[in-house]
Every structure is written in structure tokens, then in C-alpha cells.
Amino acid sequence: MTPGQPAPWTPQTPYGASPEAAGPTLDGTGREGLPYHLLLRGGWSGAWWRGLLGILALAIGMLLVLPFLMLVPFLLYYALSGAEVGESVTGLVDLTDPSPAGLAYLNLTLAGLIPLTWVIVRWLHGLRPRWLSSIRPRLRWGYLFACFGLSFVALIATLVVAALLPSDAAGASVAGELNEFTPRLRDFMLVVLLLTPLQAAAEEYAFRGYLLQAFGGMVRSPWVAVGLSSLLFALAHGAQDAPIFFDRFAFGVVAGVLVVVTGGLEAGIAMHVLNNWLAFGIALAYGDMSSALNPTGGTWWSIPVTLTQSLVYLALAWWVARVMGLRKRSDPAVLPAPEGRV
């Protein structure tokens, strides 16, 4: 049997049974399934060099290909509507003074990372794209919705900690009067509500999905893979103050650990969506979108607040995954661990 080719079906423990009860060898052959970070080793041979090519393809696609492709429909719209194309495009990509259309363009460009990672996994590694979602292999919707609820519980713990910190460090972002509701604010709200989940999920598919698996295929250690993918996640946000960089790196580490201990992206997606909704929501209510997209003047006082949210959420999501009996390895009857390579 070649790597990535499904084995003949044999009776097995139903999905949802606890991993402790099922054990790693579910098909009676003595074979083990693969943990999430090593799934690419179940595809075509040469996971390490294919991973390098995949990382390069992902970078080129994110920085060059996707921004150009997503610009095309906006160009057509501006041309057909009679707007001045050059001026409109300049305003579209200006993140120092973003418009609702500019935020939509940014979110849609990042959302393109989902199909891009699917193409890379399918054509470079010989695996179906669904292996990026989880070891199931697909999104485990019940767990995803449960994690949205858990993220609100973690948010409450965050508010408690924030209330104990100096007000100028923890509460400045919600100080002052509410912004006036205008058509521009309404448009921003619609973009945040509808497109932010796609943007957040896409970043999880790229950084906690493909990159974590690619590094896992090279170095085998889940913690090295989590650390490297988290570092790239923080760097991808551009120039930033040290506290902001650390905050994003820590977020990446927590989301990466959740992938390793739960076997899928669901927990990271839920946490990422809530974080971005909260950040953009506060900016729209009390500040402006430019400050949310280009944060400056970070303070180390914010770290206890965000770490409280992340660590409480990590503990809750891990515990619920165990209660739900989520597996952390692929079914060996579908994607077994290659002999001698794991």
C-alpha cells in the first residue's frame, strides 16, 4: 500500500469513542494512526522537501498571487462604475486610513489562504484538503460550536483580570464616548461581522494548519512545529512593538498547542474569530479601524490580560475535547503511520 492510499475497511471503534479506550491501533493490524502535526508524512514521500516547497508556495501566494487576484473584481467594479481607478485602488490598499472596501479586500485576500492551502496539500503532498481541518478528517462542527461558547467564558475571566489592572493599561481601549453611528460605521460593522470569520479561519488553516504540518513533516517534534509556525504568525503581522509581537506569538503558541492536543483546528478558529470580533468591535465603538489594524504603543500590562484569556480557554477547550472523546490520531485504516518514518 502506497502512502496516502486508504487501506481496506475493517471494523473499528466508532468516532467519538475516547482515545484511551480505543487506543492507537484501531484496525487490529498493529498499525498506528498519525497525530495532526505529522499528517503530511502519510502523503507522498519526501515530506521534508515538499514542506519547504509548500512553505515557499504559501508565502508567494499570500504576498503576491492572492492580493493580485482579489484586486481584479475591485478593479472591474471601479472601472464599470466610472470611478477614478488609480485613486480608488490607492485608497483600497491604504491600511493607514482604511475604508470598509479596503477592509473587505484585506479579509477576502486572507480568506484566499484556505483554498491555497487546500491546493498545496492536494497537489504537493497527495492528500485530500480535509486533512487540514482535523484528523477526523473534517471540521468537527459540534466541537467548533462548543468552543465558541468556551471562548465567551474565557472572555469573562479576561474582564475580571483587566478590572484588577491599572486603568490606563487595561481599560484605555474602551474609555470615552461611543462613536456616532454613521453609514461608514454600518459598512464597517457588516464587513467585520461577515468576513472576519473567514479571515480568522484562513489564518488558522495557513499557520496552525499547513505550516504546523509542514514543520512537523521536517522536524517531527510537535513543539518545534508549534514554535516555528507561531513565530511566522507573529512576523506576518509586520512591524510592531515588542509587547504586541509577544502577544501575537503567545496567541500562536496557545492555538498551536490546542491543535496538537485536540487533533484539529476547531478550537483555534473559535478563539481567533472571537478575538478579532472583539478587537474590531471595540475599535468601531470607541476608536477607529486604523488603530486596530496598525496597533502601536503596546504595553506589557496587556500580557496578563491576554494570557488569562488564552490559558483559561486552553484548559477549557482541552477538557471539553477529552469529555467529547475526540481522538488525537488519524484512523489507521484510513491514514496509517508509515513504517520507519514516525
Side-chain angles (χ1 to χ4, degrees):
M1 184 186 70
T2 57
Q5 179 181 356
W9 182 89
T10 54
Q12 54 191 273
T13 305
Y15 283 110
S18 69
E20 292 78 13
T25 57
L26 306 182
D27 61 356
T29 65
R31 296 176 300 179
E32 289 189 349
L34 288 166
Y36 184 90
H37 69 288
L38 295 181
L39 286 176
L40 294 185
R41 292 181 172 235
W44 292 331
S45 61
W48 69 269
W49 63 263
R50 291 181 186 275
L52 286 176
L53 287 180
I55 292 171
L56 179 61
L58 183 65
I60 293 174
M62 182 171 62
L63 297 176
L64 298 177
V65 178
L66 291 177
F68 174 77
L69 290 179
M70 197 51 61
L71 190 61
V72 172
F74 285 90
L75 287 173
L76 292 175
Y77 171 78
Y78 292 140
L80 294 175
S81 64
E84 205 289 314
V85 175
E87 181 179 339
S88 298
V89 171
T90 300
L92 186 72
V93 299
D94 182 11
L95 295 183
T96 61
D97 184 22
S99 64
L103 181 61
Y105 168 71
L106 174 64
N107 282 350
L108 289 171
T109 298
L110 291 173
L113 290 171
I114 296 178
L116 176 60
T117 55
W118 288 351
V119 169
I120 293 173
V121 166
R122 180 64 186 91
W123 295 106
L124 191 58
H125 298 277
L127 291 175
R128 293 183 181 181
R130 60 187 185 180
W131 287 107
L132 279 174
S133 298
S134 77
I135 53 89
R136 176 65 173 92
R138 61 171 175 77
L139 278 177
R140 298 164 294 187
W141 290 100
Y143 183 54
L144 177 63
F145 290 133
C147 286
F148 275 114
L150 297 177
S151 63
F152 282 99
V153 175
L155 178 60
I156 294 174
T158 302
L159 296 176
V160 172
V161 172
L164 301 176
L165 295 176
S167 58
D168 60 341
S173 59
V174 293
E177 299 181 356
L178 284 171
N179 290 330
E180 179 185 359
F181 186 80
T182 63
R184 178 183 174 89
L185 180 61
R186 176 204 61 204
D187 293 344
F188 266 127
M189 291 175 62
L190 289 174
V191 172
V192 169
L193 179 65
L194 299 177
L195 297 183
T196 291
L198 288 176
Q199 167 259 319
E203 291 187 16
E204 292 305 304
Y205 270 91
F207 291 95
R208 257 68 64 186
Y210 182 73
L211 285 180
L212 194 148
Q213 289 185 357
F215 286 125
M218 297 178 203
V219 300
R220 186 177 302 183
S221 167
W223 313 121
V224 173
V226 167
L228 291 175
S229 60
S230 301
L231 179 62
L232 290 182
F233 173 72
L235 291 173
H237 286 81
Q240 50 205 301
D241 296 338
I244 298 174
F245 178 87
F246 178 83
D247 179 71
R248 287 167 172 165
F249 176 75
F251 177 94
V253 169
V254 170
V257 170
L258 280 168
V259 171
V260 172
V261 301
T262 67
L265 298 178
E266 298 88 356
I269 290 174
M271 181 171 68
H272 204 149
V273 170
L274 178 69
N275 275 4
N276 286 12
W277 267 343
L278 181 63
F280 289 144
I282 291 175
L284 292 176
Y286 296 97
D288 60 84
M289 189 56 64
S290 177
S291 62
L293 293 175
N294 308 281
T296 58
T299 169
W300 290 106
W301 281 108
S302 66
I303 302 303
V305 178
T306 55
L307 282 183
T308 296
Q309 179 187 14
S310 296
L311 294 178
V312 169
Y313 180 75
L314 171 62
L316 291 174
W318 192 353
W319 174 70
V320 169
R322 292 177 64 85
V323 170
M324 295 178 67
L326 299 184
R327 292 179 178 165
K328 296 188 294 183
R329 285 180 177 267
S330 64
D331 180 352
V334 179
L335 193 67
E339 258 185 69
R341 287 198 291 156
V342 178

